[in-house]
Amino acid sequence: RSKLSGPELLCQIKKMVQIATLTPDMEPFSGFPWASQLPPRQITTDIGPFKTCAVVSSAGSLKNSGLGKEIDAHDAVIRFNAAPTTGFEKDVGSKTTVRLINSQVMASEDHHFLSSSLYSAGILVSWDPGPYSSDLREWFNKTDYPIFKQYQRYRRLHPQQPFYILHPRMEWQLWQRIQDNMVETIQKNPPSSGLLGTVLMMSLCDVVHVYEFLPSRRKTELCHYYQRFSDAACTLGAYHPLLYEKNLVKRMNKGSDHDIYTHGKVTLPGFMTFNC
Ligand code: NCC
């Protein structure tokens, strides 16, 4: 098969990946009393559009990057899972507009999701790696972690904080874009939070700058900028098809290779800014 160009890839993703969040009217949720805890409108209706946005990966290569000021200069900033800003402002900034968290973070004891102040800044968006299907009922009966139980608890404790759940269809539509553009057969696991968040921001912003998803000259085996743990699989992927995700993002990059080398920075256009 012929390799798609960057603009063609961007068009495929724009056309074939629907960015959606759960709303109270969707089945089977509409039949549950707690459905009223879900935001009534789509996240794309409620927030944005923003001019410029920053996607801050959690990579160890952000350490000593000094990118904090540049990141904070964006109109909106997305961060992932348990990635902190306190104590790391110089390298990652302090603004958090959206925090995208996987269901493991919500459920595991050691993250103290319900009580930690780490999660209280900005808008929360969560996702769960369900089965390869976009059927909500099937997913509801087979989530990887108890995302709904934790969602209800969190909403009761923090009713004022906006909190969305991604429609699992988005994960698999994006996975399909990765698979269809690779020669190899990739593992049937959803894309990483980093790629999901990048595509989410492309639907909310005119320009998206992604930091240290494609590693800079600071590339390191250090997994996260905020932890001492080292494992090259954090950057290259094991469960998530991360290497393939990065290949795709590299092809869509509108910025220079020099920006990647010095800043780990990729520039992607928002979906509203181009026609296909
Ligand atoms: O590590 P994680 O991701 O929270 O990182 C967020 C996103 O940053 C990008 N990244 C991270 C580290 C690195 N060295 N290079 C990178 O490019 C990736 O795009 C990544 O998605 C996840 O995707 O949700 C993930 O979550 C962790 C873990 O659940 C949370 O950190 C909470 O502890 C997963 N780790 C494990 O399950 C052990 C990880 O596989 C993916």
Side-chain angles (χ1 to χ4, degrees):
R1 84 192 93 195
S2 65
K3 210 166 161 177
L4 294 186
S5 67
E8 287 169 335
L9 263 178
L10 285 162
C11 280
Q12 265 205 354
I13 294 179
K14 175 177 170 165
K15 279 195 222 147
M16 300 168 90
V17 181
Q18 293 162 267
I19 289 76
T21 47
L22 301 187
T23 50
D25 55 303
M26 293 179 182
E27 281 189 61
F29 305 100
S30 53
F32 306 145
W34 63 268
S36 60
Q37 288 183 317
L38 292 167
R41 287 181 307 258
Q42 291 293 318
I43 188 171
T44 45
T45 308
D46 288 343
I47 69 165
F50 302 106
K51 280 204 198 75
T52 76
C53 297
V55 176
V56 187
S57 91
S58 305
S61 47
L62 273 162
K63 208 176 160 141
N64 302 318
S65 68
L67 286 168
K69 276 213 182 84
E70 174 169 333
I71 289 169
D72 277 348
H74 291 82
D75 300 315
V77 178
I78 185 169
R79 303 182 191 276
F80 301 100
N81 297 321
T85 53
T86 309
F88 302 92
E89 292 88 348
K90 230 176 137 284
D91 295 330
V92 303
S94 58
K95 186 187 280 188
T96 303
T97 314
V98 176
R99 183 175 291 274
L100 180 61
I101 53 177
N102 67 40
S103 53
Q104 184 186 37
V105 170
M106 296 170 73
S108 94
E109 295 286 332
D110 33 282
H111 284 103
H112 304 286
F113 174 64
L114 297 174
S115 58
S116 166
S117 63
L118 185 61
Y119 305 99
S120 59
I123 297 159
L124 289 175
V125 181
S126 65
W127 71 279
D128 171 82
Y132 181 79
S133 153
S134 35
D135 183 81
L136 287 179
R137 202 178 295 274
E138 196 180 319
W139 175 52
F140 179 76
N141 290 319
K142 226 179 170 173
T143 59
D144 254 24
Y145 292 92
I147 179 171
F148 300 115
K149 191 180 84 191
Q150 290 299 86
Y151 179 81
Q152 291 167 58
R153 286 186 173 156
Y154 192 94
R155 293 289 284 152
R156 249 178 271 129
L157 292 166
H158 313 270
Q160 301 307 327
Q161 189 179 7
F163 193 168
Y164 299 83
I165 301 177
L166 279 187
H167 195 302
R169 183 180 60 209
M170 176 186 168
E171 300 161 27
W172 295 113
Q173 287 176 335
L174 191 53
W175 180 89
Q176 200 64 53
R177 286 311 91 228
I178 303 169
Q179 178 61 92
D180 285 358
N181 285 288
M182 297 296 152
V183 176
E184 299 91 338
T185 301
I186 64 169
Q187 63 267 48
K188 240 181 188 145
N189 296 326
S192 72
S193 297
L195 189 67
L196 290 170
T198 299
V199 174
L200 172 65
M201 294 318 263
M202 287 169 80
S203 72
L204 295 171
C205 317
D206 290 346
V207 183
V208 178
H209 290 131
V210 189
Y211 291 92
E212 292 290 1
F213 185 65
L214 300 188
S216 68
R217 62 181 171 205
R218 290 177 298 276
K219 183 176 159 110
T220 163
E221 295 210 339
L222 185 67
C223 185
H224 295 131
Y225 67 82
Y226 55 89
Q227 273 176 337
R228 290 173 63 125
F229 169 69
S230 285
D231 184 352
C234 294
T235 304
L236 304 175
Y239 171 79
H240 297 292
L242 201 50
L243 200 58
Y244 303 104
E245 298 175 21
K246 293 184 185 206
N247 179 306
L248 224 58
V249 167
K250 176 78 169 58
R251 280 158 67 185
M252 295 188 291
N253 182 26
K254 299 266 185 205
S256 66
D257 285 349
H258 182 257
D259 272 354
I260 299 176
Y261 186 67
T262 57
H263 289 62
K265 173 170 153 184
V266 159
T267 306
L268 298 172
F271 294 131
M272 298 166 285
T273 67
F274 59 88
N275 291 313
C276 297

